[in-house]
Amino acid sequence: MKKFYAILIAAFAFVSLQTKAQIACDASFTAQFLSGSTVKFNPMPSTLDSVSVHHFWSFGEVGGGYFNYSYSVSPINTFPTGTFSVGHRIYRTNPNGGAVCTDSTNQIITITQGACLLSASYVRYIDPSNILQRYYYNQTNNLSATDSIRWTFGDGTSANSYNATHTFANPGVYNVCLRVIKRNANGTLSNCVSEICRLDTVAYQCNIQAYFTSSSDSATAPATIQFNNQTVNYSPTDSITWNFGDGSAVSHAVNPFHIYTTAGTYTVCMRVKRNTTVAGAPPCVSEYCRQITITGPPCNLVANFTWYRDSIITIPNSYRFTNTTIPLSSSDSIRWTFGDGTSSNQVNPTHVYTTPGIYTVCLRVQKRNPNGILSNCISEKCYQILVAAITSPCNIQAYFLSLADSTQPNIIHFTNQSPGYLPTDSVFWNFGDGSPILSGVNNPTHTYTVAGVYTVCIKIKRNTPAGTVPCIREYCKVVSITIPCNLVTNFTWYRDSLPTAAPNTYHFVNTSAPISSTDSIRWTFGDGTSSNQVNPTHVYAQAGTYTVCLRVQKRNANGNLTTCIKEKCYTIVVPQTCTLQSNFTSAATTANYKTIVFTNTTIVSGSGATALWSFGDGTSATTWNATHTYAQAGRYAVCLRTQIGTCISYKCDSITIIAPIPVPNCIELSKFSFATYGNGQAGFAVYNPQNNVQYTWTFGDGTGVQNGILVSHTYAAPGYYTACLTAFRDSSCASTSCRSIYIGPFCNNITLAINDVRDSLVPNRIKFTALSNTATTNQVWTITKIPTTATTGTVTINANNPTYMFLDSGYYNVCVKATFANGCVKTICKIIYVAQNMPVVNNCTLQIYPNPASSIINANITLVQPLLLNAYVYNSMNVLVAQKQQQGIVGNNTVSINIANLPAGIYILRLVYGNQLCYATFIKQ
């Protein structure tokens, strides 16, 4: 073994003399003693560039019996007692992967007796019933019961127990550290310290992705739109909220339909929320919005009118005109011409003719749009009327009675009581609420939907012979309408279980129906406080029994409070705050390593406390302290449940039962393991090293033998070899084991570099190419934002020479791990700078059809000048998977892309033309 290191050091020195004379390359380093036996090695600052400098460290033996190595920049190694020759070799490359220089050096490290052998370590388990709770199990080597232990959880809290149970208040990324310090024989802290820190990501997986499609029965208003939920990973238990963008009420249906009555462009949003029961889980919500356009309705205006001559003798030749245009609104423009040179803009005018004769009367109606501007929708109707002298009296007297329904006061029954009324007369009813004029019904019933005061009129018309004066009478009266109170007031509540919440915090949920934002709401919580919020949160200062009441009072359309009032009360019990904290210690007995004594260290006040032990092997106990014997060695999760009154507390920890290590038999003494390091180097280690055994190695290449527990060997050429170990203890025990070892190809002559080419249209779309003097069989690319944070992450692309679209500007570390046909694997990295995202000044969205699609997607683009259309399809990792280019023409252009060979999933189509970028998301089935 000493001979191997002498050769290795001499080779390092020879190479160093050569390279130093040509190019400045320095392998010098310093040794930093972290503890008595743990040392960190720091190279010169000029060699810290991990992109172009490669490191090899050997922590070899001088006294014999130890060998270890590392490829890290600044490695940390824990040594046994002894003297060791530490070698450092660097190899600098240029951007194309070629050699620039190499250098090597070594130092002697001495580890004295009684060195610090602490090695902090722990494992983590997640509570499946509470994603915020963690169990940390201490696995530190050489740790004694008196040593100092401190856990820090990265959220400002800490613990000093051997193992730790911790519940995080919120999801996030936390740096969890375990620090252990040895104590001297007198109990004072020593300088032997070991610490380990790991990032623990506390998160809740939210994998739903909201998406929907829509179809319409009409392109113009009124239009009925059917919405179809296409959410990825949707569950029937998820909550759905639809907002149709026109101010109407939201919908919670899975696949709703909605009627748009007015033309316009509406933003429709679907929000999907996962109703998880996992304690402490953050909300899992996904929302998707898209715009739909409803065009204006056709001009369906039909102007029309009726008329009759007033039968009152004192007003001769007075005619009443009734506008029956459909549809008619108050904003429409109305103009009457009566044929005698006069006109009117009233809805239903009255006109007096001065002389008998035949007159042409015309009604012209013009619609206004929602902005009050006159539209092109115009309709006109004309009739000729005969104005004649009065020849006969009119003896009709219009009159009616009204009666509210006994069960529903907003339903009114009307009875015609007109004196002189004949069955042949015509009857017209106007109920005063904007509903159509009712004719031909003598005794109608009408339902009012809104409370208020309405003027109801009955008009009787006698059907007289042509050329005679019409006989018409009208009677009006006021009807008062009240609406029944159908309000049902109710609510639910729950106590906040988060550790960060104040004790006895209660959330109240208003479930009253129907409820609107204008209603008057008042909560009283039974402790002298109140609230007017819809869903309040209240903190009780002390335990007790409280009567909570919710009072709701409806408002009418004018915002005035009505007499519709309902109230609901419940009694809730606020418990005492529980401060009990279970705790225990454990220790193995000297007589039997499988017998453990558990001591309950829980602090309780008063009497009546009970304990329940669960030993992790299916058994339990109810004594305050417990002693338990395990059937076999292993790791067990032990839990203690302590209860006093209604206050319950749990403490769980793990214990490890370690069986004594048996002495290996003679055959096992020669078993060994090996590892190859590239370029012909291999290391060998004995499985069960013993101090009283002599070990002899042969390597299958005829180079001789070596002795020792850990040895290394360099093979001259690739190939398969048989390595053997002979273990000799005494004349009665000698054994030999052999294993086949494969020495892979030497990779020193293979070069590797990265070439990046930016797209001329979109500079943040970059084509990466792996350049090498040998063909690659596989490439794995990684792209990491600099500086790296917990939110940026690393993108991994398993593809040869990929094209990638960067979504943010800045510096990126791009690496490729290339595999070659001879089995060699090399990795090289390059730092690039992305100046900006997209070079366009305008963005727009595309409408893709069909969507979802299985083979072909289509997108329509309208151009005002001929432009080149560049279409790109990206997968969910933002990697280009398909593209197409075609010449666009003036007018409508359809871009079709074949996606039949793409795997199922969600993709993005980006279409670039001129200075315009259009994009849309589609689903491949």
Side-chain angles (χ1 to χ4, degrees):
M1 192 65 178
K2 294 179 181 178
K3 181 180 179 182
F4 166 76
Y5 281 105
I7 295 173
L8 180 63
I9 295 169
F12 282 174
F14 173 74
V15 175
S16 176
L17 290 174
Q18 280 192 322
T19 56
K20 282 183 177 179
Q22 299 171 4
I23 302 174
C25 223
D26 192 355
S28 301
F29 65 92
T30 60
Q32 177 186 1
F33 285 79
L34 302 180
S35 65
S37 61
T38 300
V39 185
K40 181 180 180 182
F41 299 96
N42 303 303
M44 297 298 291
S46 61
T47 64
L48 293 178
D49 182 5
S50 61
V51 176
S52 60
V53 176
H54 308 275
H55 300 260
F56 175 76
W57 300 82
S58 60
F59 311 115
E61 63 180 58
V62 170
Y66 181 80
F67 176 74
N68 203 357
Y69 68 95
S70 174
Y71 291 100
S72 300
V73 177
S74 298
I76 297 175
N77 189 63
T78 300
F79 294 88
T81 303
T83 302
F84 306 91
S85 177
V86 178
H88 178 215
R89 180 173 183 252
I90 64 170
Y91 178 70
R92 187 186 294 275
T93 61
N94 59 30
N96 296 323
V100 174
C101 67
T102 185
D103 186 28
S104 62
T105 187
N106 69 292
Q107 290 187 36
I108 300 300
I109 300 296
T110 300
I111 305 299
T112 60
Q113 188 73 23
C116 178
L117 301 179
L118 276 181
S119 179
S121 181
Y122 68 86
V123 295
R124 179 210 68 180
Y125 295 94
I126 301 175
D127 191 326
S129 64
N130 184 355
I131 61 167
L132 299 177
Q133 183 161 298
R134 299 289 193 270
Y135 300 101
Y136 299 100
Y137 298 112
N138 193 337
Q139 293 189 332
T140 302
N141 293 326
N142 302 310
L143 187 64
S144 302
T146 60
D147 293 340
S148 171
I149 300 173
R150 179 174 175 83
W151 298 84
T152 55
F153 303 106
D155 59 355
T157 62
S158 61
N160 299 105
S161 57
Y162 184 86
N163 300 310
T165 299
H166 185 66
T167 301
F168 292 94
N170 299 292
V173 179
Y174 299 90
N175 189 28
V176 180
C177 297
L178 168 62
R179 177 182 175 90
V180 292
I181 307 177
K182 297 294 292 183
R183 291 187 185 273
N184 298 317
N186 60 5
T188 60
L189 292 175
S190 71
N191 294 326
C192 181
V193 181
S194 181
E195 185 172 16
I196 184 173
C197 297
R198 295 176 183 149
L199 292 178
D200 194 348
T201 300
V202 181
Y204 176 70
Q205 184 180 11
C206 181
N207 61 351
I208 54 176
Q209 188 168 358
Y211 186 76
F212 66 86
T213 59
S214 61
S215 59
S216 176
D217 66 343
S218 172
T220 60
T224 300
I225 308 296
Q226 175 68 55
F227 295 97
N228 299 304
N229 182 2
Q230 300 286 330
T231 298
V232 179
N233 295 319
Y234 169 73
S235 172
T237 59
D238 296 341
S239 298
I240 298 180
T241 302
W242 294 83
N243 188 325
F244 300 110
D246 59 351
S248 60
V250 299
S251 173
H252 301 288
V254 177
N255 299 301
F257 69 88
H258 185 69
I259 299 176
Y260 289 91
T261 59
T262 307
T265 299
Y266 302 92
T267 299
V268 181
C269 294
M270 178 183 69
R271 185 174 187 268
V272 183
K273 178 180 180 182
R274 178 137 297 159
N275 297 315
T276 177
T277 57
V278 178
C284 178
V285 179
S286 179
E287 188 169 12
Y288 173 74
C289 300
R290 59 178 295 186
Q291 288 186 331
I292 63 171
T293 300
I294 307 298
T295 59
C299 182
N300 57 353
L301 181 66
V302 179
N304 206 353
F305 63 92
T306 62
W307 70 94
Y308 64 92
R309 185 177 185 181
D310 198 313
S311 58
I312 300 176
I313 303 300
T314 58
I315 309 177
N317 293 329
S318 175
Y319 282 78
R320 296 179 181 267
F321 295 93
T322 302
N323 192 334
T324 59
T325 300
I326 299 176
L328 185 65
S329 64
S330 59
S331 62
D332 294 342
S333 172
I334 299 173
R335 180 174 175 81
W336 297 82
T337 55
F338 301 111
D340 60 355
T342 61
S343 62
S344 173
N345 297 110
Q346 295 180 352
V347 178
N348 301 303
T350 298
H351 184 65
V352 177
Y353 289 94
T354 57
T355 58
I358 298 176
Y359 298 90
T360 299
V361 180
C362 295
L363 168 63
R364 183 181 185 273
V365 180
Q366 184 174 6
K367 301 295 291 182
R368 295 183 187 271
N369 60 27
N371 297 324
I373 301 174
L374 290 172
S375 69
N376 295 325
C377 184
I378 304 172
S379 180
E380 188 170 9
K381 185 69 174 180
C382 298
Y383 290 107
Q384 285 188 334
I385 67 172
L386 173 64
V387 177
I390 299 176
T391 57
S392 62
C394 183
N395 60 352
I396 306 173
Q397 186 176 352
Y399 186 74
F400 67 87
L401 298 177
S402 60
L403 179 65
D405 192 271
S406 59
T407 59
Q408 300 185 60
N410 58 318
I411 298 178
I412 307 298
H413 303 283
F414 296 96
T415 304
N416 184 357
Q417 296 288 320
S418 302
Y421 168 76
L422 299 177
T424 57
D425 295 340
S426 297
V427 181
F428 303 92
W429 295 87
N430 186 333
F431 300 109
D433 59 352
S435 58
I437 300 296
L438 179 64
S439 62
V441 179
N442 200 34
N443 301 306
T445 297
H446 186 68
T447 301
Y448 290 88
T449 59
V450 179
V453 177
Y454 300 92
T455 300
V456 181
C457 296
I458 184 174
K459 183 185 294 183
I460 309 296
K461 178 182 178 182
R462 179 147 296 163
N463 298 316
T464 57
T468 62
V469 177
C471 181
I472 299 174
R473 288 291 186 270
E474 187 173 10
Y475 171 74
C476 300
K477 65 181 291 188
V478 173
V479 176
S480 180
I481 302 299
T482 59
I483 302 297
C485 181
N486 57 350
L487 175 66
V488 177
T489 299
N490 208 349
F491 63 93
T492 62
W493 71 93
Y494 64 93
R495 188 185 184 198
D496 200 316
S497 61
L498 288 178
T500 55
N504 293 327
T505 298
Y506 282 78
H507 299 274
F508 296 91
V509 180
N510 191 336
T511 60
S512 304
I515 192 77
S516 65
S517 59
T518 61
D519 294 341
S520 171
I521 297 174
R522 179 174 174 80
W523 297 80
T524 54
F525 301 111
D527 59 354
T529 62
S530 62
S531 174
N532 298 108
Q533 295 179 349
V534 178
N535 302 304
T537 297
H538 184 65
V539 178
Y540 285 93
Q542 56 187 5
T545 301
Y546 299 91
T547 300
V548 180
C549 295
L550 168 62
R551 181 182 186 270
V552 180
Q553 184 174 6
K554 302 295 290 183
R555 293 183 187 271
N556 58 24
N558 299 322
N560 299 321
L561 291 172
T562 69
T563 58
C564 183
I565 305 171
K566 293 293 178 67
E567 187 172 13
K568 185 69 175 182
C569 298
Y570 289 105
T571 298
I572 67 171
V573 178
V574 178
Q576 292 286 345
T577 303
C578 180
T579 59
L580 185 67
Q581 292 185 348
S582 296
N583 206 355
F584 67 89
T585 61
S586 61
T589 61
T590 57
N592 185 352
Y593 70 93
K594 292 185 288 187
T595 299
I596 308 298
V597 176
F598 297 97
T599 302
N600 192 334
T601 58
T602 305
I603 299 176
V604 297
S605 58
S607 59
T610 61
L612 175 63
W613 298 87
S614 175
F615 300 114
D617 60 353
T619 61
S620 61
T622 57
T623 56
W624 187 253
N625 301 308
T627 300
H628 182 67
T629 300
Y630 289 90
Q632 56 188 6
R635 182 179 292 275
Y636 299 90
V638 179
C639 289
L640 169 63
R641 178 185 186 271
T642 309
Q643 180 174 0
I644 181 167
T646 60
C647 188
I648 300 174
S649 175
Y650 288 87
K651 171 63 183 293
C652 295
D653 207 342
S654 69
I655 63 169
T656 302
I657 309 298
I658 303 176
I661 301 175
V663 178
N665 57 38
C666 191
I667 296 176
E668 295 294 324
L669 291 178
S670 61
K671 296 296 178 67
F672 67 93
S673 62
F674 65 86
T676 59
Y677 313 134
N679 297 325
Q681 292 186 340
F684 300 86
V686 177
Y687 264 147
N688 299 296
Q690 303 293 317
N691 294 329
N692 60 342
V693 175
Q694 179 182 346
Y695 298 98
T696 303
W697 300 84
T698 59
F699 304 106
D701 59 354
T703 57
V705 299
Q706 289 190 38
N707 300 104
I709 295 174
L710 292 163
V711 298
S712 64
H713 184 69
T714 301
Y715 289 90
Y720 286 93
Y721 299 90
T722 300
C724 297
L725 170 64
T726 298
F728 178 81
R729 184 168 61 194
D730 51 41
S731 59
S732 63
C733 175
S735 65
T736 300
S737 297
C738 297
R739 296 185 65 180
S740 177
I741 179 173
Y742 173 70
I743 300 300
F746 298 170
C747 304
N748 290 343
N749 297 326
I750 296 179
T751 62
L752 180 64
I754 295 175
N755 185 40
D756 55 288
V757 179
R758 285 158 168 78
D759 192 295
S760 60
L761 292 174
V762 185
N764 59 323
R765 181 173 59 247
I766 300 179
K767 170 72 173 179
F768 294 102
T769 304
L771 303 177
S772 177
N773 59 357
T774 304
T776 62
T777 58
N778 185 59
Q779 299 174 15
V780 178
W781 296 76
T782 58
I783 301 174
T784 305
K785 184 75 179 295
I786 299 175
T788 303
T789 66
T791 59
T792 56
T794 298
V795 176
T796 301
I797 306 173
N798 292 283
N800 290 351
N801 303 324
T803 297
Y804 183 75
M805 173 75 79
F806 290 85
L807 299 179
D808 193 10
S809 60
Y811 288 93
Y812 291 85
N813 188 27
V814 180
C815 299
V816 58
K817 180 180 179 183
T819 303
F820 300 89
N822 63 356
C824 286
V825 178
K826 279 199 168 185
T827 300
I828 192 170
C829 299
K830 183 177 183 180
I831 295 177
I832 68 170
Y833 179 73
V834 179
Q836 58 183 5
N837 283 340
M838 296 298 291
V840 295
V841 297
N842 294 311
N843 291 337
C844 67
T845 57
L846 292 171
Q847 293 295 329
I848 294 180
Y849 63 94
N851 189 6
S854 58
S855 59
I856 299 291
I857 61 169
N858 304 283
N860 292 331
I861 290 293
T862 301
L863 299 180
V864 296
Q865 59 178 323
L867 292 172
L868 193 62
L869 300 174
N870 295 276
Y872 306 93
V873 177
Y874 294 85
N875 62 15
S876 59
M877 293 294 292
N878 209 31
V879 175
L880 181 67
V881 295
Q883 61 183 5
K884 182 180 182 180
Q885 186 181 77
Q886 73 181 56
Q887 179 61 50
I889 62 174
V890 175
N892 186 59
N893 295 263
T894 299
V895 179
S896 300
I897 300 178
N898 190 338
I899 61 169
N901 295 328
L902 297 181
I906 299 177
Y907 294 85
I908 297 176
L909 171 64
R910 291 186 174 95
L911 189 64
V912 180
Y913 57 95
N915 65 347
Q916 186 81 18
L917 167 66
C918 297
Y919 61 93
T921 302
F922 67 90
I923 298 177
K924 167 64 166 62
Q925 293 178 330

